[in-house]
């Protein structure tokens, strides 16, 4: 991936965290409760349910019924203003494309790539902005409808850091390479990309792939506990805790 910073500005930020689910209605109801958001009627024809988050980086639950037989599913979406240029860029730089450019209807186009760790990422160009996003009906809900970071589990942190740095057109900051388990990229829409080698999470059955935001971590943890939702890691360093959804996915709640 030898390219200039200018060329890689084809990707402007995260558009959504994507979670593969088996029971879409049940999972949509569970996440609505976690986020304190009203549950809208599900469309039986749609394989996904999307939560409108407050910075337009949404949480999408997808049963991928139209991708049966695929070995992997996308874990996030990244946005581009030029789908053809973005596709040409990844081809020129030897990035594996797992699905060619699709144009399901006017105003929407996407394709899929594999990152250095084997994760599938969806690159999306979309002109649509929801004019009436659904917001929380619970004032000051302890868990905010804001994804603070998409979390990419990695096996080789140095390799992944260099790969994503070039993809996103960002210089690597040595101050963030302190030998710890993480490296993160700040993005202009307020939802970052966090690479985590999970050396401290090897006891978990599933690794978190996104982080939800809380203003008060202890209040957020007390709320989750009061609902009977399963906490698999209590508050750590007064900064985060991890819950498990009904299908075994780990969700990190973080300041």
């Amino acid at each position: 991936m030898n390219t200039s910073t200018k060329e890689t500005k084809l990707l402007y930020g995260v558009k959504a965290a994507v979670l593969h689910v088996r029971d879409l209605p049940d999972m949509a109801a569970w996440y609505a409760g976690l986020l304190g958001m009203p549950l809208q009627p599900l469309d039986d024809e749609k394989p996904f349910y999307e939560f409108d988050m407050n910075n337009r980086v949404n949480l999408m639950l997808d049963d991928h019924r139209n991708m049966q037989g695929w070995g992997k599913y996308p874990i996030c979406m990244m946005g581009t203003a030029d789908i053809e240029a973005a596709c040409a860029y990844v081809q020129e730089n030897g990035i594996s494309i797992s699905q060619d450019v699709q144009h399901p209807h006017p105003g929407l186009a996407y394709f899929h790539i594999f990152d250095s760790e084997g994760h599938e990422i969806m690159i999306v160009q979309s002109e649509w902005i929801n004019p009436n996003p659904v917001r929380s009906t619970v004032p000051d809900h302890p868990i905010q409808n804001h994804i603070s970071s998409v979390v990419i589990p990695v096996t080789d942190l140095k390799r992944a850091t260099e790969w994503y740095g070039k993809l996103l057109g960002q210089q690597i900051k040595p101050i963030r390479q302190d030998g710890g388990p993480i490296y993160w990229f700040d993005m202009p829409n307020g939802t970052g990309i966090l690479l985590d080698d999970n050396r401290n999470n090897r006891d978990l059955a599933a690794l978190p792939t996104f982080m939800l935001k809380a203003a008060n971590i202890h209040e957020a943890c007390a709320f989750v506990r009061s609902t009977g939702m399963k906490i698999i890691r209590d508050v750590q360093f007064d900064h985060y805790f991890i819950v498990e959804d009904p299908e075994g996915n780990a969700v990190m709640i973080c300041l």
Side-chain angles (χ1 to χ4, degrees):
M1 287 180 66
N2 296 316
T3 186
S4 71
T5 296
K6 181 179 179 182
E7 289 174 316
T8 59
K9 291 303 181 184
L10 289 166
L11 302 181
Y12 60 74
V14 180
K15 284 187 66 68
V18 184
L19 186 66
H20 174 67
V21 303
R22 297 186 298 274
D23 188 329
L24 185 58
D26 183 60
M27 293 290 277
W30 191 90
Y31 278 94
L34 180 70
L35 294 166
M37 296 180 69
L39 184 65
Q40 300 299 294
L42 273 68
D43 184 342
D44 291 339
E45 299 301 314
K46 283 186 177 181
F48 63 87
Y49 184 92
E50 192 166 20
F51 288 95
D52 298 306
M53 309 303 263
N54 61 16
N55 65 338
R56 294 181 180 170
V57 180
N58 293 343
L59 173 60
M60 177 177 286
L61 311 181
D62 197 329
D63 66 16
H64 296 104
R65 68 188 69 165
N66 298 327
M67 296 174 63
Q68 295 296 321
W70 285 50
K72 295 185 178 181
Y73 303 108
I75 63 172
C76 71
M77 297 181 186
M78 294 185 187
T80 180
D82 189 333
I83 198 74
E84 299 299 337
C87 187
Y89 162 71
V90 300
Q91 288 176 318
E92 290 165 4
N93 288 280
I95 300 172
S96 297
I97 296 177
S98 59
Q99 186 176 40
D100 291 328
V101 175
Q102 306 292 309
H103 296 273
H105 56 73
L108 175 64
Y110 65 89
F111 65 98
H112 295 183
I113 63 174
F114 284 127
D115 74 0
S116 63
E117 308 304 297
H119 300 299
E120 190 152 350
I121 309 294
M122 180 183 284
I123 310 297
V124 180
Q125 180 180 359
S126 175
E127 301 171 1
W128 188 78
I129 296 176
N130 188 351
N132 298 298
V134 177
R135 298 302 187 203
S136 174
T137 56
V138 183
D140 301 320
H141 188 68
I143 299 175
Q144 301 171 11
N145 65 332
H146 182 109
I147 296 173
S148 58
S149 289
V150 167
V151 183
I152 310 291
V154 306
T155 55
D156 188 322
L157 185 60
K158 182 178 184 297
R159 176 183 64 194
T161 298
E162 293 173 352
W163 194 93
Y164 275 94
K166 290 176 181 178
L167 180 73
L168 300 170
Q170 292 196 24
Q171 298 294 323
I172 304 302
K173 299 180 179 181
I175 193 173
R176 295 184 181 178
Q177 293 183 303
D178 60 0
I182 64 171
Y183 185 91
W184 68 98
F185 295 95
D186 300 312
M187 305 298 285
N189 53 18
T191 294
I193 294 174
L194 177 71
L195 310 178
D196 193 339
D197 70 13
N198 289 289
R199 67 186 71 170
N200 299 322
N201 293 327
R202 290 172 183 165
D203 58 317
L204 301 181
L207 300 173
T209 56
F210 61 92
M211 296 166 54
L212 295 173
K213 194 173 183 63
N216 183 308
I217 201 66
H218 294 284
E219 181 182 341
C221 188
F223 161 74
V224 171
R225 200 181 303 280
S226 73
T227 66
M229 295 177 180
K230 186 177 180 180
I231 296 174
I232 55 176
R233 178 158 295 157
D234 216 332
V235 174
Q236 304 290 306
F237 311 110
D238 290 322
H239 189 71
Y240 77 93
F241 66 98
I242 301 176
V243 302
E244 185 178 87
D245 73 18
E247 293 190 0
N249 300 296
V251 181
M252 183 176 287
I253 315 295
C254 191
L255 288 177

